[in-house]
């Protein structure tokens, strides 16, 4: 069937974007909202967006005018009577949507398709209030509708194949990538996204980390386009609460039980960016510029000297070598304590090689390389560090015993003011700190792999860590050109604690045969702008490493939803641990290169190599 004239009802965050996408693709579109204020507001938003397109030379002035001429905005629902397809994008509430669908049913021609942009409600339940459930479908656009390339097409048990085909074709005509899914709360993307967003709210509510640090951690640690709290503000906190409520009613999974803070913000009318206030405060409603408010943390002046100029790094594996490289390149003297002269030589050779490559590529000069090398020393005896360091960063094998042993040894002869840090990614920092007599000068400095490339560093303070130590270490990381975020000593810190439950949920979704791993990866990449889909990421990180992290989180939080999925355990048992062996969730034969480019989206944490 041919779709020529399209209607959109509800011209808020989503509806106004949907109208624009449709008009830009050459269709005539009629947008309807409740009042003149709503339609003029949508008119302004669309005109501004087209204006930006013209100013940025993405479209010509005459193209812009042609797009606007295809758009008609009204408050009169009956004007939709000649549309072949109407897309509803009103408030996420079943009762309100049902009433609208009943009205539309009496206005539209008998063959017209009625689509809902619901993010979580049952399309089937909406369809049964009409006389044509077979012509009702879900067309779930993503926010911002102009940008995100993905559309979930939600077919119910009664939707006609002809309707599905027409909508798939329509989505492609809009330049989108459609994926057909069945009617389940949250479909693919939101079902995976909202558990993670909700968990981030809980993390903020528990004052585990600041809103800025939670958001930065996910942006800089996982390459996500937005942090979870900023994203919730963009989605709208009222819409988000309704989505979580619906998902919780269906799943009864505690991960979806809306956090108390989210409810409170909605009750207080802080609905997010569209309102000018949500988790953050904005310059104006609908403007992305964040302004400082009473919850803005006092910024740590990066210009304030950390007072740390000499750092020892314990270990000679991937992480230790990377950290030495970051220190030396950042102007700090680094002494690597390794287990043998041979390992020391290997470490120096490895640094020399990687810096030579940078010289060849013109990224650094020969003089810079010489400077870096001059700042690196090695030793094989802990006593050689006496009088030569302000900070010790340990990066040996991820085992509690050896870590405690090396720290208790160093504790005996290094002066009491030397700061001790571990770069553990999963062990409890306080357990390691307790093996020393300087718990107040003990901290976690969690670098990500590869350290020279990954911008994020988590600064983990325990119940005993002095605030002065936290500030000095944070400043050091600033000075090294990295992005420090502060959090407390809890399994997974910020990034892994938010990332791995989401990855585990993606495995659960595929195991339940709701969607294929290809569709899930596509949904997260094109719907949410993630640099990698969950299965691509799991295969890159390594399924063995992922299982270990999920197990650590499960042991600490005892959340039933964190229990590792059986399929993950089976793949690990079979030795299919990801790209590094040529097979994980996908097969990679002939073996693909596992080397990671600077521009490649990266995972969180890989195993630290022990010295
Ligand atoms: P919104 O609050 O920004 O806008 C809703 C609009 O609908 C408002 O302009 C309101 O005046 C209008 N409206 C309400 N009842 C109406 C009626 N009976 N007739 C005509 N207009 C009516 O909401 P939103 O964020 O755009 O969400 C709309 C829908 O899209 C929801 O179902 C939501 O779940 C879904 N969705 C939202 C996002 C997102 O990120 N915000 C993403 C995908 C899908």
């Amino acid at each position: 069937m041919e779709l020529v004239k399209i209607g959109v009802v509800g011209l808020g965050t989503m509806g106004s974007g949907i109208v624009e996408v449709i008009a830009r693709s050459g269709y005539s579109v009629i947008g309807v909202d409740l009042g003149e204020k709503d339609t003029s507001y949508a008119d302004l938003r669309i005109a501004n967006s087209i204006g930006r397109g013209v100013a940025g030379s993405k479209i010509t002035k005459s193209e812009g005018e042609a797009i606007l001429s295809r758009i008609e905005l009204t408050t009169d629902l009956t004007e939709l009577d000649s549309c072949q397809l109407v897309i509803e994008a009103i408030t996420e509430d079943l009762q309100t949507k049902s009433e609208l669908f009943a009205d539309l049913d009496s206005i539209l021609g008998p063959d017209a398709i009625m689509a809902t942009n619901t993010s979580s409600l049952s399309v089937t339940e909406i369809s049964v209030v009409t006389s044509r459930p077979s012509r009702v479908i879900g067309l779930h656009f993503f926010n911002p509708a102009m940008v995100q390339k993905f559309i979930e097409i939600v077919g119910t048990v009664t939707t006609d194949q002809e309707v599905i085909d027409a909508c798939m074709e329509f989505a492609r005509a809009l330049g989108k990538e459609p994926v057909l899914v069945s009617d389940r709360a949250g479909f693919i993307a939101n079902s995976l996204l909202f558990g993670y967003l909700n968990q981030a709210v809980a993390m903020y509510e528990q004052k585990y980390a600041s809103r800025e640090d939670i958001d930065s951690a996910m942006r800089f640690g996982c390459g996500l386009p937005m942090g979870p709290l900023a994203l919730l503000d963009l989605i709208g906190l009222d819409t988000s609460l309704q989505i979580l409520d619906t998902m919780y009613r269906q799943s009864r999974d505690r991960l979806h039980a809306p956090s108390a803070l989210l409810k409170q913000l909605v009750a207080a009318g802080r609905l997010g960016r569209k309102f000018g206030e949500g988790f953050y405060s904005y310059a104006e409603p609908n403007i992305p510029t964040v302004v400082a408010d009473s919850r803005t943390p006092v910024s740590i002046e990066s210009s304030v000297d950390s007072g740390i100029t000499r750092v020892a790094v314990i270990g000679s594996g991937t992480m230790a070598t990377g950290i030495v490289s970051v220190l030396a390149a950042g102007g700090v003297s680094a002494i690597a304590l390794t287990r043998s002269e041979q390992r020391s030589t290997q470490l120096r050779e490895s640094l020399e090689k990687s810096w030579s490559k940078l010289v060849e590529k013109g990224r650094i000069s020969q003089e810079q390389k010489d400077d870096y090398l001059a700042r690196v020393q090695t030793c094989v005896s802990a006593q050689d560090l006496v009088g030569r360091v302000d900070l010790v960063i340990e990066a040996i094998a991820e085992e509690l015993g050896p870590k405690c042993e090396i720290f208790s040894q160093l504790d005996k002869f290094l002066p009491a003011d030397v700061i001790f840090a571990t770069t553990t990614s999963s062990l409890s920092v306080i357990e390691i700190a307790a093996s020393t007599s300087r718990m107040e000068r003990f901290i976690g400095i969690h670098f990500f792999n590869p350290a020279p490339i990954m911008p994020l560093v988590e600064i983990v303070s325990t119940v005993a860590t002095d605030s002065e130590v936290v500030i000095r270490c944070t400043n050091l990381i600033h000075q090294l050109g990295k992005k420090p975020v502060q959090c407390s000593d809890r399994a997974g810190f910020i990034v892994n604690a938010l990332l791995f439950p989401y990855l585990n949920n993606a495995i659960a979704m595929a195991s339940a045969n709701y969607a294929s791993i290809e569709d899930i990866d596509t949904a997260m990449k094109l719907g949410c702008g993630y640099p990698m889909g969950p299965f691509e990421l799991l295969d890159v990180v390594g399924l063995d490493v992922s299982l270990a992290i999920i197990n650590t989180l499960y042991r600490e939080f005892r959340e039933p939803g964190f229990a590792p999925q059986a399929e993950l355990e089976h793949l690990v048992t079979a030795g299919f641990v990801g790209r590094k062996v040529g097979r994980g969730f996908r097969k990679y034969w002939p073996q693909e290169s596992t080397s990671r480019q600077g521009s490649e989206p990266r995972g969180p944490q890989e195993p630290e190599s022990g010295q």
Side-chain angles (χ1 to χ4, degrees), residues 8-16 18 32-35 38-39 45 77 88-93 96-97 99-100 103 116-121 139-144 190 194 231 234-236 238-240 242-243 271 274:
V8 175
V9 187
L11 301 173
T13 310
M14 290 307 292
S16 53
I18 295 172
V32 185
D33 207 304
L34 291 173
D38 304 304
T39 50
R45 281 185 79 175
L77 207 58
E88 162 278 311
I90 67 166
T91 323
E92 184 77 346
D93 175 68
T96 318
K97 285 190 195 285
E99 284 166 14
L100 175 70
D103 288 347
T116 171
N117 184 47
T118 181
S119 313
S120 60
L121 298 171
L139 275 188
H140 184 224
F141 289 75
F142 287 74
N143 188 1
N190 280 351
F194 272 83
L231 178 57
L234 173 70
I235 293 170
D238 50 344
T239 306
S240 302
Q242 276 151 345
I243 293 172
L271 305 184
K274 62 185 169 189

Side-chain angles (χ1 to χ4, degrees), residues 568-583:
L568 178 64
E569 292 181 309
H570 290 183
L571 286 166
V572 173
T573 307
F576 303 150
V577 291
R579 279 226 292 222
K580 58 192 169 189
V581 297
R583 182 165 177 184

